[in-house]
Amino acid sequence: MRKIIALVFLPALLFAQKKPIAVSYEKNKLQAAAALQGNYEHYKKVALQIWDYAEVGYKEEKSTALLQSELKNNGFEVQSGIAGEPTSFIATYGSGSPVIGILAEYDALPGIMQEAVAERKVAAGKEAGHACGHHLFGTASVAAGIELKNQMMANGWKGTIKIYGCPAEEGGSGKVYLTRGGFFNGVDVVLHWHPGNSNSVNMTGALANKSAKFRFYGLSAHASASPEKGRSSLDGVEAMDAMVNMMREHIPSSTRIHYVITNGGKAPNVIPDFAEVYYYVRHPDKQTVVSIFDRVVKAAEGAAMGTETKMKYEIIGGTHDLLLNDTLNAAMYKNLVLAGVVNLSPEELEFGKKIQSSFTFSYPNISEAATTRPFVKPENASPGSTDVGDVSYNVPTVGFSTATWIPGTPAHSWQAVACGGTEIGTKGMIVAAKALANMGIELLHNPALIEAAKKEFIAKKGNYQYKALLGDREPALNYRD
């Protein structure tokens, strides 16, 4: 009887042994988070060093060298100076599928110099500041990549991690050249994040953007003694600006056009023979951006004709809107919640309240830094632009933000620079690193998630064939000069 029972149950036992065993990787996520927290002081030092360098787009020599050194010292193979960008890099660890890309940025903004204090105090000897927190962005992405590599080594996991060092996000369209050059080919999913004033998954798109410098050439003459002999290049710039400003009434209301006169002459008594104006054109739809930009060019041509000057323009940048992936957003939200929130000390809360007292607009309660915003899609698109948009039209992409600035702090402000130079910024940075590592671990072991994300990506992209808005120009390495 015992033999019969054994024979009856043997097939069932064998079948049960062949069924896949569900394995949870939440333990590994907790291990990764603990390791990142354990290295907090080290990564804080790295981030604050880049904050101090404050190098603008395509000039980030020290910043990129520091991040590349961190990756090389941790077993990554690093290829630098790719896509014609001297300060770019790709750091790779592992082999085979899945291939997970993580974006890193590190450029600063010109003209927003600030010490790490709660009142406006210009930092002496600097020409730029990290008013968008890219020192935190780059460091957290590198930290997460290193911890993913450590988990892969410790557990024998298969897959490939690629950290993309992306220069000149602020106007230089660094990722566009990486995308155009095919450096994201073969990547399954791309992760990114951004410093911010709250913890949230990116549920809104971005504005497509096309930018250019318009240069007018005239004839110099004495502005008082012989004005009739001159032709003012500044007149050309001002005539163009006047026409573009009138054009605002006749374009979609969701359009944004900004400009700065970067060169208007040197002396009032000299009719300038050269003047330059730098324009951005933005809109939620990439094709509409192109059509409006073409109208701006016509305004420049008309201005040159009317002022008897000559005009040439140079495309500086061009970025796509952001192709969102709801599948990845849902997974990212869970991993962001798991990463925790920023807990500010009493001293940091006092610092934050002083920062908020400088605002001239309404702002959230400071306690919002210790919360994660609900997983709800806002009604309006983001008013910002990013070269991540181009990546998102080539690879399923997901992003989020963490509270590296005091709630209410706007990007591109001295208050953002100040917060980013303190532990308010670096605490938010380490939360971001944990969230990236969490998502990376999940993607390494959840092929169904990647497959679903790719299916959604294909459906949303439709028949659109990617083409860089900036054309075939090479990187504008001196656009900040």
Side-chain angles (χ1 to χ4, degrees):
M1 179 63 71
R2 289 179 180 176
K3 289 182 179 180
I4 293 173
I5 292 174
L7 289 172
V8 169
F9 283 98
L10 182 58
L13 179 61
L14 290 173
F15 178 76
Q17 289 175 335
K18 289 181 181 179
K19 291 178 65 177
I21 300 173
V23 178
S24 171
Y25 293 95
E26 299 306 303
K27 176 185 69 175
N28 301 101
K29 293 179 182 180
L30 295 175
Q31 290 173 350
L36 286 165
Q37 193 64 49
N39 285 306
Y40 170 71
E41 290 296 328
H42 173 73
Y43 289 123
K44 178 179 78 172
K45 182 178 179 181
V46 171
L48 294 182
Q49 181 64 76
I50 297 174
W51 182 87
D52 189 56
Y53 290 151
E55 298 168 299
V56 297
Y58 294 130
K59 311 292 184 183
E60 316 99 320
E61 289 91 353
K62 295 178 182 178
S63 303
T64 189
L66 179 55
L67 294 178
Q68 289 182 49
S69 177
E70 288 289 313
L71 290 159
K72 289 176 182 176
N73 292 340
N74 282 276
F76 281 77
E77 292 185 7
V78 179
Q79 179 186 7
S80 60
I82 56 176
E85 301 172 319
T87 52
S88 66
F89 67 83
I90 299 177
T92 305
Y93 175 81
S95 61
S97 298
V99 181
I100 310 302
I102 303 177
L103 306 181
E105 298 175 8
Y106 33 85
D107 62 318
L109 279 160
I112 312 182
M113 298 77 70
Q114 169 67 26
E115 294 189 9
V117 294
E119 62 275 347
R120 183 66 169 122
K121 187 174 183 181
V122 177
K126 292 185 180 295
E127 297 182 353
H130 274 287
C132 215
H134 292 177
H135 63 302
L136 305 169
F137 189 158
T139 304
S141 296
V142 166
I146 290 171
E147 185 50 36
L148 278 172
K149 167 257 175 183
N150 290 340
Q151 289 289 322
M152 292 171 72
M153 281 190 66
N155 297 286
W157 297 342
K158 301 297 182 183
T160 305
I161 303 298
K162 286 181 173 287
I163 311 300
Y164 288 83
C166 307
E169 188 276 337
E170 297 289 358
S173 303
K175 297 181 195 67
V176 178
Y177 300 102
L178 296 173
T179 304
R180 193 182 68 183
F183 291 97
F184 289 98
N185 293 351
V187 178
D188 291 299
V189 172
V190 165
L191 311 179
H192 70 103
W193 78 285
H194 203 284
N197 56 30
S198 66
N199 306 294
S200 60
V201 170
N202 185 2
M203 297 288 287
T204 63
L207 301 182
N209 181 8
K210 191 167 183 177
S211 64
K213 291 184 177 180
F214 294 84
R215 299 175 178 123
F216 288 80
Y217 302 86
L219 293 172
S220 291
H222 195 293
S224 181
S226 53
E228 74 282 357
K229 295 179 181 178
R231 295 294 182 270
S232 173
S233 56
L234 181 58
D235 285 352
V237 165
E238 291 185 311
M240 175 189 175
D241 294 345
M243 284 191 282
V244 172
N245 285 329
M246 287 188 287
M247 191 179 77
R248 294 177 191 274
E249 185 181 358
H250 309 288
I251 57 178
S253 59
S254 51
T255 308
R256 296 290 184 270
I257 301 178
H258 342 281
Y259 63 87
V260 291
I261 298 175
T262 51
N263 190 327
K266 304 301 181 185
N269 62 337
V270 178
I271 294 174
D273 63 357
F274 175 76
E276 180 185 81
V277 60
Y278 188 5
Y279 265 84
Y280 275 26
V281 178
R282 310 190 204 222
H283 188 272
D285 176 67
K286 50 198 167 295
Q287 294 172 322
T288 303
V289 159
V290 172
S291 66
I292 294 174
F293 178 85
D294 290 345
R295 292 174 64 186
V296 170
V297 171
K298 289 179 180 179
E301 293 170 343
M305 182 181 296
T307 57
E308 293 187 303
T309 58
K310 295 181 180 179
M311 184 278 298
K312 295 181 180 179
Y313 69 94
E314 178 188 6
I315 300 295
I316 299 299
T319 62
H320 277 54
D321 53 295
L322 198 60
L323 189 63
L324 298 174
N325 193 291
D326 296 333
T327 301
L328 292 175
N329 280 344
M332 188 71 252
Y333 182 77
K334 292 187 295 182
N335 285 296
L336 176 60
V337 171
L338 181 63
V341 294
V342 177
N343 292 305
L344 301 178
S345 69
E347 294 78 16
E348 289 160 353
L349 287 170
E350 185 63 28
F351 181 99
K353 289 175 181 178
K354 288 182 180 178
I355 287 284
Q356 288 185 329
S357 70
S358 69
F359 296 160
T360 58
F361 46 82
S362 60
Y363 50 84
N365 190 285
I366 200 167
S367 63
E368 190 172 296
T371 64
T372 300
R373 288 187 176 178
F375 189 62
V376 178
K377 188 170 184 177
E379 293 182 2
N380 299 319
S382 167
S385 302
T386 173
D387 52 10
V388 177
D390 287 65
V391 179
S392 75
Y393 272 89
N394 287 268
V395 186
T397 302
V398 64
F400 64 95
S401 67
T402 62
T404 59
W405 311 323
I406 290 301
T409 302
H412 297 194
S413 66
W414 69 260
Q415 294 95 334
V417 183
C419 291
T422 70
E423 288 203 70
I424 294 170
T426 54
K427 282 181 176 181
M429 174 193 76
I430 213 68
V431 171
K434 292 174 184 178
L436 288 169
N438 290 346
M439 188 66 174
I441 290 171
E442 180 157 347
L443 289 166
L444 286 171
H445 299 96
N446 192 345
L449 174 60
I450 295 176
E451 189 63 30
K454 286 183 176 180
K455 185 176 180 180
E456 179 183 342
F457 168 78
I458 292 169
K460 284 188 172 180
K461 184 177 179 182
N463 295 325
Y464 176 71
Q465 297 297 314
Y466 171 78
K467 183 179 180 181
L469 298 187
L470 48 72
D472 58 0
R473 72 148 299 149
E474 295 301 306
L477 300 181
N478 297 313
Y479 81 107
R480 288 301 188 197
D481 293 348

